[in-house]
Amino acid sequence: MVSTSAPIGVFDSGIGGLTVAGALLRQLPHERLIYFGDTARVPYGPKSPDTVRRYAHEISAWLIDQGVKAIVVACNTATAHALPSLQRELPVPVIGVVEPGARAAVAAGPGPIGVIGTAGTIASGAYAKAIWQVAPDATIVSQACPLFVPLAEEGLFDHPATRLIAREYLAPLLAAHVHTVVLGCTHYPMLRTVLAEVLGPEVTLIDSASATASATAATLAQLQMAATSPSPGVHRFVASDAPAQFLRLGQRFLGAAIERVETVTLG
Ligand code: DGL
Protein backbone atom coordinates (compact mmCIF):
# COMPACT_ATOMS: atom_id res chain seq x y z
CA MET A 1 0.00 0.00 0.00
CA VAL A 2 1.40 3.38 -1.04
CA SER A 3 1.88 5.86 1.81
CA THR A 4 -0.51 8.84 2.05
CA SER A 5 2.57 11.10 2.05
CA ALA A 6 3.68 9.78 -1.39
CA PRO A 7 3.58 12.42 -4.16
CA ILE A 8 0.91 12.87 -6.84
CA GLY A 9 2.19 12.51 -10.42
CA VAL A 10 0.95 15.09 -12.92
CA PHE A 11 1.81 15.20 -16.61
CA ASP A 12 1.22 17.09 -19.84
CA SER A 13 2.86 17.41 -23.25
CA GLY A 14 4.54 20.59 -22.03
CA ILE A 15 3.90 23.43 -19.64
CA GLY A 16 0.11 23.68 -20.15
CA GLY A 17 -0.62 21.15 -17.41
CA LEU A 18 0.99 23.50 -14.91
CA THR A 19 -2.38 25.32 -14.88
CA VAL A 20 -3.80 22.10 -13.39
CA ALA A 21 -0.79 21.65 -11.07
CA GLY A 22 -1.41 25.21 -9.80
CA ALA A 23 -5.01 24.35 -8.95
CA LEU A 24 -3.85 21.16 -7.18
CA LEU A 25 -1.34 23.15 -5.10
CA ARG A 26 -4.04 25.63 -4.09
CA GLN A 27 -6.73 23.04 -3.28
CA LEU A 28 -4.46 20.35 -1.79
CA PRO A 29 -1.71 22.25 0.02
CA HIS A 30 -0.52 19.16 1.97
CA GLU A 31 0.21 17.17 -1.18
CA ARG A 32 3.56 17.00 -2.95
CA LEU A 33 3.65 16.90 -6.76
CA ILE A 34 5.96 15.44 -9.37
CA TYR A 35 5.14 17.25 -12.61
CA PHE A 36 6.39 15.86 -15.93
CA GLY A 37 6.21 18.08 -19.05
CA ASP A 38 7.03 16.19 -22.24
CA THR A 39 8.67 19.22 -23.85
CA ALA A 40 10.75 17.02 -26.17
CA ARG A 41 7.60 15.73 -27.89
CA VAL A 42 5.12 18.64 -27.58
CA PRO A 43 2.63 19.15 -29.26
CA TYR A 44 0.46 16.08 -28.76
CA GLY A 45 -2.56 17.69 -30.48
CA PRO A 46 -1.74 16.74 -34.08
CA LYS A 47 -0.34 13.25 -33.24
CA SER A 48 -2.22 9.98 -33.69
CA PRO A 49 -4.12 8.45 -30.75
CA ASP A 50 -1.71 5.47 -30.70
CA THR A 51 1.36 7.69 -30.41
CA VAL A 52 -0.15 9.86 -27.67
CA ARG A 53 -1.23 6.72 -25.81
CA ARG A 54 2.33 5.34 -26.00
CA TYR A 55 3.77 8.62 -24.65
CA ALA A 56 1.18 8.70 -21.84
CA HIS A 57 2.06 5.14 -20.79
CA GLU A 58 5.83 5.84 -20.88
CA ILE A 59 5.45 8.92 -18.68
CA SER A 60 3.09 7.14 -16.29
CA ALA A 61 5.51 4.21 -15.93
CA TRP A 62 8.26 6.69 -15.02
CA LEU A 63 5.97 8.40 -12.48
CA ILE A 64 5.06 5.02 -10.94
CA ASP A 65 8.81 4.30 -10.61
CA GLN A 66 9.10 7.56 -8.63
CA GLY A 67 6.55 6.17 -6.14
CA VAL A 68 3.49 8.32 -6.90
CA LYS A 69 0.20 7.40 -5.20
CA ALA A 70 -2.04 8.78 -8.00
CA ILE A 71 -1.68 10.27 -11.47
CA VAL A 72 -3.44 13.34 -12.85
CA VAL A 73 -3.43 13.46 -16.65
CA ALA A 74 -3.21 17.26 -16.97
CA CYS A 75 -3.57 17.11 -20.75
CA ASN A 76 -6.87 16.91 -22.59
CA THR A 77 -5.33 15.20 -25.62
CA ALA A 78 -3.74 12.46 -23.49
CA THR A 79 -6.96 12.13 -21.45
CA ALA A 80 -9.01 11.79 -24.64
CA HIS A 81 -6.75 9.09 -26.11
CA ALA A 82 -5.28 7.26 -23.12
CA LEU A 83 -7.40 7.61 -19.94
CA PRO A 84 -9.25 4.26 -20.22
CA SER A 85 -6.07 2.26 -20.88
CA LEU A 86 -4.15 4.09 -18.12
CA GLN A 87 -6.99 3.42 -15.66
CA ARG A 88 -7.09 -0.22 -16.70
CA GLU A 89 -3.35 -0.88 -16.53
CA LEU A 90 -1.89 1.29 -13.77
CA PRO A 91 -1.76 0.23 -10.12
CA VAL A 92 -2.78 3.72 -8.86
CA PRO A 93 -5.89 5.90 -9.40
CA VAL A 94 -5.73 7.98 -12.60
CA ILE A 95 -7.73 11.22 -12.95
CA GLY A 96 -8.27 12.96 -16.30
CA VAL A 97 -9.32 16.51 -17.16
CA VAL A 98 -12.19 15.91 -19.61
CA GLU A 99 -14.97 14.63 -17.34
CA PRO A 100 -14.52 17.32 -14.64
CA GLY A 101 -14.53 20.03 -17.37
CA ALA A 102 -17.63 18.56 -19.02
CA ARG A 103 -19.51 18.50 -15.70
CA ALA A 104 -18.52 22.09 -14.93
CA ALA A 105 -19.77 23.18 -18.38
CA VAL A 106 -23.17 21.57 -17.87
CA ALA A 107 -23.40 23.07 -14.36
CA ALA A 108 -22.80 26.56 -15.83
CA GLY A 109 -26.40 26.66 -17.11
CA PRO A 110 -28.56 25.94 -20.17
CA GLY A 111 -27.76 26.85 -23.78
CA PRO A 112 -25.32 25.74 -26.47
CA ILE A 113 -21.87 24.72 -25.20
CA GLY A 114 -18.74 25.48 -27.18
CA VAL A 115 -15.72 23.19 -26.84
CA ILE A 116 -12.28 24.24 -28.02
CA GLY A 117 -9.22 22.00 -27.96
CA THR A 118 -6.41 20.47 -29.97
CA ALA A 119 -7.16 18.69 -33.24
CA GLY A 120 -6.77 15.32 -31.44
CA THR A 121 -9.10 16.18 -28.58
CA ILE A 122 -11.81 17.54 -30.88
CA ALA A 123 -11.54 14.62 -33.34
CA SER A 124 -11.83 12.14 -30.44
CA GLY A 125 -15.27 13.51 -29.51
CA ALA A 126 -14.32 12.94 -25.84
CA TYR A 127 -15.93 16.17 -24.60
CA ALA A 128 -19.14 15.66 -26.56
CA LYS A 129 -19.44 12.15 -25.10
CA ALA A 130 -18.73 13.38 -21.55
CA ILE A 131 -21.20 16.29 -21.85
CA TRP A 132 -23.96 14.12 -23.33
CA GLN A 133 -23.46 11.66 -20.50
CA VAL A 134 -24.68 14.32 -18.03
CA ALA A 135 -26.89 16.37 -20.40
CA PRO A 136 -28.11 14.16 -23.27
CA ASP A 137 -29.93 17.08 -24.98
CA ALA A 138 -27.04 19.55 -24.91
CA THR A 139 -26.14 21.34 -28.14
CA ILE A 140 -22.37 21.28 -28.62
CA VAL A 141 -20.26 23.26 -31.07
CA SER A 142 -16.67 21.99 -31.24
CA GLN A 143 -13.70 23.75 -32.75
CA ALA A 144 -10.06 22.65 -33.02
CA CYS A 145 -7.64 25.54 -32.37
CA PRO A 146 -4.21 24.09 -33.23
CA LEU A 147 -2.34 27.40 -33.22
CA PHE A 148 -3.27 28.24 -29.62
CA VAL A 149 -0.70 25.83 -28.10
CA PRO A 150 2.35 27.34 -29.86
CA LEU A 151 1.06 30.85 -29.09
CA ALA A 152 0.80 29.95 -25.38
CA GLU A 153 4.17 28.13 -25.35
CA GLU A 154 5.71 31.30 -26.89
CA GLY A 155 4.21 33.40 -24.11
CA LEU A 156 2.02 35.44 -26.54
CA PHE A 157 -0.82 35.49 -24.00
CA ASP A 158 -2.24 38.92 -24.78
CA HIS A 159 -0.92 39.69 -28.23
CA PRO A 160 -2.45 40.96 -31.52
CA ALA A 161 -1.51 37.70 -33.30
CA THR A 162 -3.41 35.68 -30.68
CA ARG A 163 -6.41 38.02 -30.96
CA LEU A 164 -6.49 37.70 -34.77
CA ILE A 165 -6.36 33.89 -34.66
CA ALA A 166 -8.90 33.74 -31.82
CA ARG A 167 -11.40 35.78 -33.92
CA GLU A 168 -11.01 33.27 -36.75
CA TYR A 169 -11.32 30.13 -34.60
CA LEU A 170 -14.15 31.40 -32.39
CA ALA A 171 -16.40 32.75 -35.19
CA PRO A 172 -18.47 29.50 -35.44
CA LEU A 173 -19.02 29.51 -31.67
CA LEU A 174 -20.21 33.12 -31.75
CA ALA A 175 -22.50 32.33 -34.70
CA ALA A 176 -24.04 29.48 -32.65
CA HIS A 177 -24.62 31.85 -29.68
CA VAL A 178 -22.84 29.60 -27.19
CA HIS A 179 -23.33 30.58 -23.54
CA THR A 180 -20.41 28.53 -22.21
CA VAL A 181 -17.06 27.63 -23.72
CA VAL A 182 -14.93 24.79 -22.34
CA LEU A 183 -11.21 25.47 -22.56
CA GLY A 184 -10.49 21.90 -23.59
CA CYS A 185 -6.72 22.24 -23.53
CA THR A 186 -4.63 22.97 -20.45
CA HIS A 187 -2.66 25.64 -22.34
CA TYR A 188 -5.74 27.76 -23.07
CA PRO A 189 -6.28 29.33 -19.62
CA MET A 190 -3.16 31.40 -20.35
CA LEU A 191 -5.03 32.97 -23.31
CA ARG A 192 -8.09 33.67 -21.19
CA THR A 193 -7.97 37.48 -21.48
CA VAL A 194 -8.04 37.39 -25.28
CA LEU A 195 -10.61 34.58 -25.43
CA ALA A 196 -12.95 36.40 -23.02
CA GLU A 197 -12.57 39.61 -25.01
CA VAL A 198 -13.38 37.91 -28.35
CA LEU A 199 -16.30 35.86 -26.95
CA GLY A 200 -17.79 38.75 -24.98
CA PRO A 201 -19.11 39.12 -21.43
CA GLU A 202 -22.18 36.89 -21.95
CA VAL A 203 -20.06 33.79 -22.41
CA THR A 204 -18.81 31.78 -19.40
CA LEU A 205 -15.36 30.24 -19.81
CA ILE A 206 -14.78 26.87 -18.16
CA ASP A 207 -11.25 25.94 -17.22
CA SER A 208 -11.14 22.34 -16.06
CA ALA A 209 -8.13 22.93 -13.78
CA SER A 210 -10.05 23.62 -10.58
CA ALA A 211 -12.72 21.01 -11.40
CA THR A 212 -9.92 18.45 -11.91
CA ALA A 213 -8.27 19.43 -8.62
CA SER A 214 -11.63 18.92 -6.86
CA ALA A 215 -12.06 15.52 -8.56
CA THR A 216 -8.55 14.56 -7.40
CA ALA A 217 -9.32 15.65 -3.84
CA ALA A 218 -12.55 13.62 -3.88
CA THR A 219 -10.80 10.50 -5.24
CA LEU A 220 -8.01 10.68 -2.64
CA ALA A 221 -10.50 11.27 0.19
CA GLN A 222 -12.67 8.37 -0.93
CA LEU A 223 -9.68 6.00 -1.07
CA GLN A 224 -8.29 7.39 2.22
CA MET A 225 -5.10 8.35 0.40
CA ALA A 226 -5.09 12.10 1.09
CA ALA A 227 -2.05 13.53 2.93
CA THR A 228 -3.12 14.35 6.48
CA SER A 229 -0.16 16.65 7.20
CA PRO A 230 2.29 18.47 4.90
CA SER A 231 4.11 15.81 2.84
CA PRO A 232 7.89 15.80 3.24
CA GLY A 233 10.14 17.01 0.44
CA VAL A 234 9.68 19.55 -2.32
CA HIS A 235 7.62 19.53 -5.50
CA ARG A 236 9.60 18.23 -8.47
CA PHE A 237 9.32 19.70 -11.96
CA VAL A 238 10.69 17.58 -14.77
CA ALA A 239 10.96 18.29 -18.50
CA SER A 240 12.02 15.90 -21.25
CA ASP A 241 13.88 18.77 -23.00
CA ALA A 242 14.58 22.52 -22.89
CA PRO A 243 14.36 23.03 -19.11
CA ALA A 244 15.30 26.72 -19.40
CA GLN A 245 12.19 27.53 -21.49
CA PHE A 246 10.10 25.45 -19.05
CA LEU A 247 11.47 27.47 -16.13
CA ARG A 248 11.05 30.82 -17.89
CA LEU A 249 7.36 30.41 -18.74
CA GLY A 250 6.35 27.65 -16.34
CA GLN A 251 6.04 29.89 -13.30
CA ARG A 252 3.41 31.99 -15.07
CA PHE A 253 1.41 28.87 -15.92
CA LEU A 254 1.77 27.50 -12.37
CA GLY A 255 1.09 30.77 -10.59
CA ALA A 256 3.98 30.04 -8.19
CA ALA A 257 7.76 29.98 -8.23
CA ILE A 258 9.65 27.01 -9.65
CA GLU A 259 13.12 26.66 -8.12
CA ARG A 260 14.54 24.07 -10.41
CA VAL A 261 13.67 21.93 -13.45
CA GLU A 262 15.16 18.45 -13.89
CA THR A 263 15.64 16.90 -17.32
CA VAL A 264 14.64 13.26 -17.88
CA THR A 265 14.76 11.58 -21.29
CA LEU A 266 12.18 8.89 -22.01
CA GLY A 267 11.67 6.48 -24.88
N1 DGL B 1 -2.07 20.89 -23.16
C1 DGL B 1 -2.48 19.77 -23.90
C2 DGL B 1 -3.95 19.52 -23.87
O1 DGL B 1 -4.58 19.85 -22.88
C3 DGL B 1 -1.87 19.45 -25.22
C4 DGL B 1 -1.30 20.47 -26.09
C5 DGL B 1 -0.53 19.81 -27.19
O2 DGL B 1 0.48 19.20 -26.86
O3 DGL B 1 -0.94 19.85 -28.36
O4 DGL B 1 -4.52 18.97 -24.77
PDB file of all heavy atoms in Angstrom, residues 80-96:
ATOM      1  N   ALA A  80      -8.079  12.266 -23.602  1.00  0.00           N
ATOM      2  CA  ALA A  80      -9.006  11.794 -24.637  1.00  0.00           C
ATOM      3  C   ALA A  80      -8.544  10.463 -25.233  1.00  0.00           C
ATOM      4  O   ALA A  80      -9.350   9.581 -25.504  1.00  0.00           O
ATOM      5  CB  ALA A  80      -9.135  12.852 -25.738  1.00  0.00           C
ATOM      6  N   HIS A  81      -7.233  10.300 -25.431  1.00  0.00           N
ATOM      7  CA  HIS A  81      -6.751   9.087 -26.107  1.00  0.00           C
ATOM      8  C   HIS A  81      -6.343   7.955 -25.165  1.00  0.00           C
ATOM      9  O   HIS A  81      -6.321   6.806 -25.587  1.00  0.00           O
ATOM     10  CB  HIS A  81      -5.535   9.430 -26.982  1.00  0.00           C
ATOM     11  CG  HIS A  81      -5.829  10.385 -28.105  1.00  0.00           C
ATOM     12  ND1 HIS A  81      -7.006  10.354 -28.821  1.00  0.00           N
ATOM     13  CD2 HIS A  81      -5.093  11.399 -28.628  1.00  0.00           C
ATOM     14  CE1 HIS A  81      -6.979  11.316 -29.735  1.00  0.00           C
ATOM     15  NE2 HIS A  81      -5.836  11.968 -29.632  1.00  0.00           N
ATOM     16  N   ALA A  82      -5.943   8.293 -23.940  1.00  0.00           N
ATOM     17  CA  ALA A  82      -5.284   7.259 -23.118  1.00  0.00           C
ATOM     18  C   ALA A  82      -5.925   6.983 -21.764  1.00  0.00           C
ATOM     19  O   ALA A  82      -5.526   6.015 -21.107  1.00  0.00           O
ATOM     20  CB  ALA A  82      -3.814   7.654 -22.906  1.00  0.00           C
ATOM     21  N   LEU A  83      -6.907   7.792 -21.323  1.00  0.00           N
ATOM     22  CA  LEU A  83      -7.403   7.605 -19.944  1.00  0.00           C
ATOM     23  C   LEU A  83      -7.892   6.175 -19.666  1.00  0.00           C
ATOM     24  O   LEU A  83      -7.481   5.568 -18.676  1.00  0.00           O
ATOM     25  CB  LEU A  83      -8.474   8.642 -19.583  1.00  0.00           C
ATOM     26  CG  LEU A  83      -8.887   8.634 -18.117  1.00  0.00           C
ATOM     27  CD1 LEU A  83      -7.747   9.104 -17.216  1.00  0.00           C
ATOM     28  CD2 LEU A  83     -10.122   9.486 -17.874  1.00  0.00           C
ATOM     29  N   PRO A  84      -8.759   5.608 -20.543  1.00  0.00           N
ATOM     30  CA  PRO A  84      -9.251   4.258 -20.219  1.00  0.00           C
ATOM     31  C   PRO A  84      -8.124   3.241 -20.089  1.00  0.00           C
ATOM     32  O   PRO A  84      -8.124   2.438 -19.151  1.00  0.00           O
ATOM     33  CB  PRO A  84     -10.175   3.914 -21.401  1.00  0.00           C
ATOM     34  CG  PRO A  84     -10.548   5.244 -21.986  1.00  0.00           C
ATOM     35  CD  PRO A  84      -9.373   6.157 -21.761  1.00  0.00           C
ATOM     36  N   SER A  85      -7.119   3.289 -20.979  1.00  0.00           N
ATOM     37  CA  SER A  85      -6.067   2.263 -20.881  1.00  0.00           C
ATOM     38  C   SER A  85      -5.184   2.515 -19.668  1.00  0.00           C
ATOM     39  O   SER A  85      -4.731   1.578 -19.012  1.00  0.00           O
ATOM     40  CB  SER A  85      -5.261   2.150 -22.171  1.00  0.00           C
ATOM     41  OG  SER A  85      -4.544   3.334 -22.418  1.00  0.00           O
ATOM     42  N   LEU A  86      -4.940   3.799 -19.328  1.00  0.00           N
ATOM     43  CA  LEU A  86      -4.148   4.088 -18.119  1.00  0.00           C
ATOM     44  C   LEU A  86      -4.896   3.576 -16.885  1.00  0.00           C
ATOM     45  O   LEU A  86      -4.313   2.947 -16.004  1.00  0.00           O
ATOM     46  CB  LEU A  86      -3.891   5.594 -17.988  1.00  0.00           C
ATOM     47  CG  LEU A  86      -2.963   6.225 -19.040  1.00  0.00           C
ATOM     48  CD1 LEU A  86      -2.987   7.753 -18.920  1.00  0.00           C
ATOM     49  CD2 LEU A  86      -1.533   5.723 -18.904  1.00  0.00           C
ATOM     50  N   GLN A  87      -6.203   3.844 -16.837  1.00  0.00           N
ATOM     51  CA  GLN A  87      -6.988   3.423 -15.658  1.00  0.00           C
ATOM     52  C   GLN A  87      -7.039   1.900 -15.549  1.00  0.00           C
ATOM     53  O   GLN A  87      -7.050   1.348 -14.465  1.00  0.00           O
ATOM     54  CB  GLN A  87      -8.402   4.001 -15.741  1.00  0.00           C
ATOM     55  CG  GLN A  87      -8.416   5.503 -15.463  1.00  0.00           C
ATOM     56  CD  GLN A  87      -9.783   6.130 -15.558  1.00  0.00           C
ATOM     57  OE1 GLN A  87     -10.619   5.688 -16.346  1.00  0.00           O
ATOM     58  NE2 GLN A  87     -10.023   7.177 -14.789  1.00  0.00           N
ATOM     59  N   ARG A  88      -7.047   1.243 -16.697  1.00  0.00           N
ATOM     60  CA  ARG A  88      -7.088  -0.223 -16.704  1.00  0.00           C
ATOM     61  C   ARG A  88      -5.759  -0.820 -16.244  1.00  0.00           C
ATOM     62  O   ARG A  88      -5.732  -1.776 -15.494  1.00  0.00           O
ATOM     63  CB  ARG A  88      -7.399  -0.673 -18.131  1.00  0.00           C
ATOM     64  CG  ARG A  88      -8.334  -1.850 -18.245  1.00  0.00           C
ATOM     65  CD  ARG A  88      -8.744  -2.180 -19.669  1.00  0.00           C
ATOM     66  NE  ARG A  88      -7.816  -1.818 -20.714  1.00  0.00           N
ATOM     67  CZ  ARG A  88      -8.079  -0.927 -21.660  1.00  0.00           C
ATOM     68  NH1 ARG A  88      -9.228  -0.265 -21.668  1.00  0.00           N
ATOM     69  NH2 ARG A  88      -7.187  -0.659 -22.607  1.00  0.00           N
ATOM     70  N   GLU A  89      -4.652  -0.205 -16.698  1.00  0.00           N
ATOM     71  CA  GLU A  89      -3.353  -0.880 -16.531  1.00  0.00           C
ATOM     72  C   GLU A  89      -2.510  -0.409 -15.344  1.00  0.00           C
ATOM     73  O   GLU A  89      -1.610  -1.110 -14.932  1.00  0.00           O
ATOM     74  CB  GLU A  89      -2.536  -0.716 -17.827  1.00  0.00           C
ATOM     75  CG  GLU A  89      -3.139  -1.529 -18.957  1.00  0.00           C
ATOM     76  CD  GLU A  89      -2.457  -1.309 -20.294  1.00  0.00           C
ATOM     77  OE1 GLU A  89      -1.251  -0.998 -20.309  1.00  0.00           O
ATOM     78  OE2 GLU A  89      -3.141  -1.454 -21.316  1.00  0.00           O
ATOM     79  N   LEU A  90      -2.776   0.791 -14.818  1.00  0.00           N
ATOM     80  CA  LEU A  90      -1.888   1.292 -13.766  1.00  0.00           C
ATOM     81  C   LEU A  90      -2.360   0.858 -12.375  1.00  0.00           C
ATOM     82  O   LEU A  90      -3.562   0.736 -12.130  1.00  0.00           O
ATOM     83  CB  LEU A  90      -1.781   2.815 -13.831  1.00  0.00           C
ATOM     84  CG  LEU A  90      -1.134   3.363 -15.111  1.00  0.00           C
ATOM     85  CD1 LEU A  90      -1.045   4.884 -15.054  1.00  0.00           C
ATOM     86  CD2 LEU A  90       0.260   2.786 -15.310  1.00  0.00           C
ATOM     87  N   PRO A  91      -1.400   0.696 -11.459  1.00  0.00           N
ATOM     88  CA  PRO A  91      -1.763   0.231 -10.117  1.00  0.00           C
ATOM     89  C   PRO A  91      -2.225   1.352  -9.178  1.00  0.00           C
ATOM     90  O   PRO A  91      -2.420   1.115  -7.993  1.00  0.00           O
ATOM     91  CB  PRO A  91      -0.437  -0.369  -9.614  1.00  0.00           C
ATOM     92  CG  PRO A  91       0.625   0.399 -10.335  1.00  0.00           C
ATOM     93  CD  PRO A  91       0.058   0.791 -11.662  1.00  0.00           C
ATOM     94  N   VAL A  92      -2.362   2.590  -9.705  1.00  0.00           N
ATOM     95  CA  VAL A  92      -2.782   3.723  -8.855  1.00  0.00           C
ATOM     96  C   VAL A  92      -3.990   4.407  -9.529  1.00  0.00           C
ATOM     97  O   VAL A  92      -4.196   4.236 -10.732  1.00  0.00           O
ATOM     98  CB  VAL A  92      -1.637   4.770  -8.691  1.00  0.00           C
ATOM     99  CG1 VAL A  92      -0.435   4.171  -7.997  1.00  0.00           C
ATOM    100  CG2 VAL A  92      -1.246   5.394 -10.028  1.00  0.00           C
ATOM    101  N   PRO A  93      -4.780   5.189  -8.767  1.00  0.00           N
ATOM    102  CA  PRO A  93      -5.893   5.900  -9.402  1.00  0.00           C
ATOM    103  C   PRO A  93      -5.388   6.931 -10.432  1.00  0.00           C
ATOM    104  O   PRO A  93      -4.356   7.567 -10.202  1.00  0.00           O
ATOM    105  CB  PRO A  93      -6.604   6.602  -8.241  1.00  0.00           C
ATOM    106  CG  PRO A  93      -5.822   6.335  -7.013  1.00  0.00           C
ATOM    107  CD  PRO A  93      -4.727   5.374  -7.320  1.00  0.00           C
ATOM    108  N   VAL A  94      -6.113   7.047 -11.531  1.00  0.00           N
ATOM    109  CA  VAL A  94      -5.733   7.983 -12.599  1.00  0.00           C
ATOM    110  C   VAL A  94      -6.914   8.913 -12.846  1.00  0.00           C
ATOM    111  O   VAL A  94      -8.038   8.449 -13.065  1.00  0.00           O
ATOM    112  CB  VAL A  94      -5.366   7.239 -13.901  1.00  0.00           C
ATOM    113  CG1 VAL A  94      -4.859   8.231 -14.955  1.00  0.00           C
ATOM    114  CG2 VAL A  94      -4.318   6.163 -13.653  1.00  0.00           C
ATOM    115  N   ILE A  95      -6.663  10.219 -12.793  1.00  0.00           N
ATOM    116  CA  ILE A  95      -7.733  11.216 -12.952  1.00  0.00           C
ATOM    117  C   ILE A  95      -7.445  12.018 -14.220  1.00  0.00           C
ATOM    118  O   ILE A  95      -6.330  12.498 -14.415  1.00  0.00           O
ATOM    119  CB  ILE A  95      -7.781  12.151 -11.715  1.00  0.00           C
ATOM    120  CG1 ILE A  95      -8.109  11.341 -10.446  1.00  0.00           C
ATOM    121  CG2 ILE A  95      -8.834  13.261 -11.887  1.00  0.00           C
ATOM    122  CD1 ILE A  95      -6.992  11.172  -9.512  1.00  0.00           C
ATOM    123  N   GLY A  96      -8.446  12.178 -15.073  1.00  0.00           N
ATOM    124  CA  GLY A  96      -8.269  12.959 -16.303  1.00  0.00           C
ATOM    125  C   GLY A  96      -8.932  14.314 -16.180  1.00  0.00           C
ATOM    126  O   GLY A  96      -9.578  14.611 -15.175  1.00  0.00           O
TER     127      GLY A  96
END
